[in-house]
Amino acid sequence: MNAPEIVQQVLASNEKNIGDLIGKELNIILFADFIYRNPHLQNSIEVLYQEVYKKTVINLTQMFEDVLDQQNLTQNKAAQNQVKQYIQWFVNDLVNEYKAEVKDKVRWLERNNANRGGE
C-alpha cells in the first residue's frame, strides 16, 4: 500500500473522530463569541462549566461501574475511589483545556475588535 492509500484509509476509518474534532473547534468559536458578546454572564458561565464537570464525572463513573459489573469484576473501596479519582482528573483536564481554548478565542476576538452586537 502506498502513502496516499494509507492516508485515505486512516482518514476514512477515523471520519467520526475527525468530525468530532472539527465540531469541537467550531463549538469553541461559537461559545467564545457568545461570551464575548455577553461579558455580564461570566459568573453564570463558570457555574455551567462546574455543572458539565459534575454531570460528566457522574455519568462516566456509572458507566465504568456498569462495565466492571458486567465483567463480574468486584472492586474494593480503594479501587472504586481510585477509578473515581482518575475520572475526575481526566474530566477536570478536559474541562480546563476547553475553558482555556474558549478564553484564548475570546482574547482573539478582543484583539481583533470584533463587534459585540449591542454596540
Side-chain angles (χ1 to χ4, degrees), residues 43-77:
N43 289 337
S44 298
I45 290 167
E46 278 300 316
V47 171
L48 286 176
Y49 282 126
Q50 289 299 320
E51 286 300 311
V52 167
Y53 168 80
K54 287 177 195 173
K55 287 179 182 180
T56 305
V57 166
I58 290 168
N59 290 334
L60 284 175
T61 302
Q62 185 61 52
M63 181 186 77
F64 280 108
E65 286 174 358
D66 292 347
V67 167
L68 293 172
D69 284 346
Q70 289 171 0
Q71 296 182 7
N72 294 323
L73 295 175
T74 56
Q75 301 180 80
N76 61 28
K77 193 67 172 168

Side-chain angles (χ1 to χ4, degrees), residues 52-54 56-58 60-61 64 78-98:
V52 167
Y53 168 80
K54 287 177 195 173
T56 305
V57 166
I58 290 168
L60 284 175
T61 302
F64 280 108
Q80 287 175 336
N81 290 338
Q82 190 173 24
V83 166
K84 188 169 184 171
Q85 180 127 33
Y86 286 153
I87 291 168
Q88 289 171 336
W89 288 338
F90 182 79
V91 173
N92 189 54
D93 287 349
L94 288 178
V95 170
N96 286 336
E97 178 183 313
Y98 189 87

